[in-house]
Amino acid sequence: MAKTVLILCGDYMEDYEVMVPFQALLAYGISVDAVCPGKKAGDTCRTAVHQLSGHQTYSESRGHNFTLNATFSEIEASKYDGLVIPGGRAPEYLAMDESVLALVKKFSDSGKPIASVCHGQLILAAAGVGKGKRCTAFPAVKPTLLSVGCHWVEPQTMSACVADGNLITAATYIGHPEFIQLFVKALGGAVSGSDKRILFLCGDYMEDYEVMVPFQALQALGCHVDAVCPKKKSGDTCPTAIHDFEGDQTYSEKPGHDFNLTETFEGLNYSSYDALVIPGGRAPEYLALDEKVLVLVKHFMEAEKPVASICHGQQILSAADVLKGRKCTAYPAVKLNVVLAGATWLAPDPIDRCFTDGNLVTGAAWPGHPQFISQLMTLLSIKVSF
């Protein structure tokens, strides 16, 4: 039975904490509506990039613009099977909105799953939800949760998650894989075929969403997912770039999150992986010049293992000479690379359209993640059923 979920948004919610669950759930076949008080479908919410950067608290910078797809004043809570509340700074003011609190109480009173992350628990506290239940949050939210009678669970790491009845809470977006997994389970979902090993080919200034959304979405399914970058080792980070469409003739760029690598590129046994994912952004420009990268890509293509590449990632496929006779799409500015490599160009109209040709999945940009991830899941025989 199809499921429908509501995400409660606000200006300066944390960038990952809205987009990762939004696109992951869509990729799993769940309908998702994103709303914000005082805004309507088609409006945008600004987001914030929060990360711990060695200071006494997290840093903040501007994130992507998130487009709402439903109107807050028109929704009926009874039509939804679950609620997701992102963190960031938005919950500070949303917790003062009586219409928001009434909505959250409806989900709580009906026993429907509520998944809240980081500072989202401020809204739970204001709504009187969670009293007597075990929950966690970003540590700064602890005093508020204790004051309303929650049983505080100290997050030993920032990936901590807690489930108590219909309530799922997480400390930060680092815990998204378990957070989303618990939410899908609470919705009655079951995952099959996820015993797969997937490799991400990373580089400095890859697009922020284009690495983290599929990375955590696949982890949430139960896949083993690793990320590598040439000349870097496990535990190193790659800076990312936020590419957005803000009315200019081309995309804008802002600094994104730092992305943690999980394996060392040098000496990696990439034959042990079942699939390869190549994010876009600016990284592919220089990765396409690295012979070791090209050898890796050729291995996956020649072995006919699933390869999923998005946006500018197809610059690497072109340089590896693996596109001849294939059909694929890419970010429109990469069309020349694709055509010169001998591929048949498939126009991404609309921009979120993705295509599968044999073992190859290609997408044009991060708005296409739901199709991009879903098509990769199909090649890997991974299913989410309800």
Side-chain angles (χ1 to χ4, degrees):
M1 182 177 178
K3 300 293 180 179
T4 304
V5 167
L6 186 68
I7 297 187
L8 180 57
C9 303
D11 285 334
Y12 298 106
M13 56 191 167
E14 212 289 326
D15 201 356
Y16 280 165
E17 289 172 5
V18 62
M19 188 57 94
V20 174
F22 180 77
Q23 291 193 319
L25 294 171
L26 285 171
Y28 304 160
I30 299 169
S31 296
V32 186
D33 285 342
V35 297
C36 175
K39 299 193 181 191
K40 61 184 185 299
D43 289 347
T44 60
C45 285
R46 292 185 174 184
T47 71
V49 170
H50 286 171
Q51 60 181 358
L52 297 171
S53 306
H55 305 292
Q56 292 187 345
T57 190
Y58 55 86
S59 61
E60 177 176 315
S61 57
R62 277 285 306 279
H64 295 81
N65 296 311
F66 182 86
T67 302
L68 305 167
N69 64 351
T71 301
F72 183 87
S73 62
E74 297 175 356
I75 60 171
E76 295 181 24
S78 61
K79 294 183 178 180
Y80 295 94
D81 299 295
L83 175 67
V84 177
I85 306 176
R89 285 195 294 108
E92 295 176 352
Y93 79 88
L94 292 177
M96 298 187 292
D97 189 317
E98 289 298 328
S99 64
V100 167
L101 305 185
L103 175 69
V104 174
K105 288 176 183 176
K106 287 180 180 177
F107 278 90
S108 179
D109 291 344
S110 65
K112 293 178 179 179
I114 299 174
S116 182
V117 62
C118 199
H119 287 72
Q121 286 81 303
L122 291 172
I123 298 174
L124 299 182
V129 174
K131 184 177 181 179
K133 289 192 173 183
R134 299 169 62 253
C135 66
T136 193
F138 189 71
V141 183
K142 175 181 178 179
T144 303
L145 293 177
L146 287 174
S147 69
V148 296
C150 293
H151 295 307
W152 174 254
V153 178
E154 190 70 29
Q156 298 304 308
T157 69
M158 290 298 99
S159 63
C161 296
V162 174
D164 189 347
N166 69 316
L167 186 61
I168 299 159
T169 53
T172 68
Y173 56 75
I174 298 172
H176 271 156
E178 184 181 3
F179 179 73
I180 296 169
Q181 190 175 74
L182 289 170
F183 186 60
V184 170
K185 183 179 179 181
L187 291 170
V191 181
S192 61
S194 62
D195 56 337
K196 305 297 191 301
R197 291 172 53 84
I198 302 170
L199 184 65
F200 274 63
L201 178 58
C202 302
D204 288 345
Y205 299 105
M206 56 191 166
E207 212 288 326
D208 199 1
Y209 278 167
E210 289 173 6
V211 62
M212 186 59 105
V213 173
F215 188 85
Q216 290 193 318
L218 292 165
Q219 284 184 316
L221 292 169
C223 298
H224 178 95
V225 188
D226 280 325
V228 295
C229 174
K231 300 180 178 65
K232 295 195 181 190
K233 61 184 184 301
S234 175
D236 289 348
T237 62
C238 287
T240 69
I242 289 173
H243 287 170
D244 214 343
F245 308 95
E246 301 182 293
D248 304 307
Q249 291 187 344
T250 190
Y251 53 85
S252 62
E253 179 169 309
K254 299 184 285 285
H257 299 79
D258 292 329
F259 183 85
N260 291 305
L261 302 170
T262 64
E263 279 290 348
T264 300
F265 183 89
E266 200 67 38
L268 181 74
N269 178 19
Y270 43 78
S271 64
S272 68
Y273 292 91
D274 301 298
L276 175 68
V277 177
I278 306 175
R282 287 195 290 107
E285 295 177 351
Y286 80 89
L287 291 177
L289 305 176
D290 190 316
E291 286 300 324
K292 291 182 179 179
V293 166
L294 305 186
V295 169
L296 183 152
V297 171
K298 287 178 181 177
H299 162 79
F300 280 90
M301 290 296 289
E302 290 171 0
E304 297 186 351
K305 294 181 179 181
V307 173
S309 181
I310 195 164
C311 199
H312 287 71
Q314 285 80 303
Q315 290 176 318
I316 298 174
L317 299 180
S318 299
D321 195 26
V322 296
L323 290 180
K324 189 173 183 180
R326 307 305 292 261
K327 299 176 181 178
C328 73
T329 193
Y331 187 70
V334 184
K335 177 181 178 179
L336 180 61
N337 302 70
V338 169
V339 172
L340 290 177
T344 299
W345 173 253
L346 300 175
D349 186 16
I351 197 68
D352 62 353
R353 190 172 182 189
C354 298
F355 298 91
T356 298
D357 179 24
N359 68 313
L360 180 63
V361 177
T362 53
W366 55 256
H369 275 150
Q371 288 187 35
F372 183 72
I373 297 167
S374 177
Q375 290 181 29
L376 177 58
M377 287 170 60
T378 297
L379 290 183
L380 289 169
S381 298
I382 301 173
K383 294 181 179 180
V384 179
S385 56
F386 292 93

